[in-house]
Amino acid sequence: GLNNRRGTYGANGAPTPSRGKKKRNGSAKSKTPKKDPSGEDASQPDDSTTLAELKQALQRFALQFEEIFSDPRNLDPADPRGLSPKRLARERLLSARFPGLGIARTLVAASSVPGSGRGLFATRDIPAAEIITCYPGDALLYGPNDLAIFGPHVPAELADPAMCLGEYVDYGIEEDAEYVVIGIPGIEVDAAYSGHYANDGAR
């Protein structure tokens, strides 16, 4: 269970790319590492993205992350795990909230059931086999020591490993044998990443 989870690994979900040493004339010795795709500017999400299109976008982001982590300058020297670029890319993909996904088909609002607080509601009819919303990986719990890894979009005041064992516990789901994915309810509601508001009522 989550009650036994402890440990921490940084307040950022991914290392900050280094810029490399500069020559005396001010020019860089090497190329600037590629920009993290989850940090790209994007317009307000619409409601046009299909499940197939989302899968294609995530596959593209995964390849970009793998290329980023293939550059030693982008590896965190404080991380002792020695994960491959492919595994780091998967981890980064799990802990990202990508802007502009175009999945604005839900809203979080007060439930009509007394004492139930807020609930997740569809804003329109959603066909079978179509995506409703994504489950955010604002925090990840990794491995047997349950290291807490936070996405870079998570505000510092919410990036508290102890909260992964406390207030955030009900918002976690097991991704696989290595990761528990946690959506942090204190982060501003995003229709594209609202799956954690349905999880605590799901069985």
Side-chain angles (χ1 to χ4, degrees), residues 75 114 142 146 173 188:
L75 300 179
Y142 169 83
D146 301 319
I173 58 172
E188 183 178 358

Side-chain angles (χ1 to χ4, degrees), residues 106-145:
T106 61
L107 62 84
V108 176
S111 173
S112 61
V113 178
S116 296
R118 294 186 297 173
L120 185 66
F121 300 86
T123 57
R124 62 166 175 81
D125 292 339
I126 301 174
E130 191 52 76
I131 188 168
I132 298 173
T133 187
C134 298
Y135 202 99
D138 302 320
L140 305 177
L141 291 174
Y142 169 83
N145 295 323

Side-chain angles (χ1 to χ4, degrees), residues 140-162:
L140 305 177
L141 291 174
Y142 169 83
N145 295 323
D146 301 319
L147 301 177
I149 305 167
F150 294 91
H153 61 278
V154 177
E157 63 271 18
L158 297 179
D160 182 355

Side-chain angles (χ1 to χ4, degrees), residues 13-14 90-97 137-138 140 149-153:
R90 177 174 180 266
E91 183 175 279
R92 186 63 187 82
L93 197 66
L94 284 172
S95 62
R97 283 199 186 202
D138 302 320
L140 305 177
I149 305 167
F150 294 91
H153 61 278

Side-chain angles (χ1 to χ4, degrees), residues 176-199:
D176 53 28
E178 288 187 315
Y179 292 99
V180 172
V181 178
I182 297 176
I184 298 178
I187 295 178
E188 183 178 358
V189 174
D190 179 348
Y193 287 96
S194 294
H196 53 316
Y197 288 104
N199 176 60

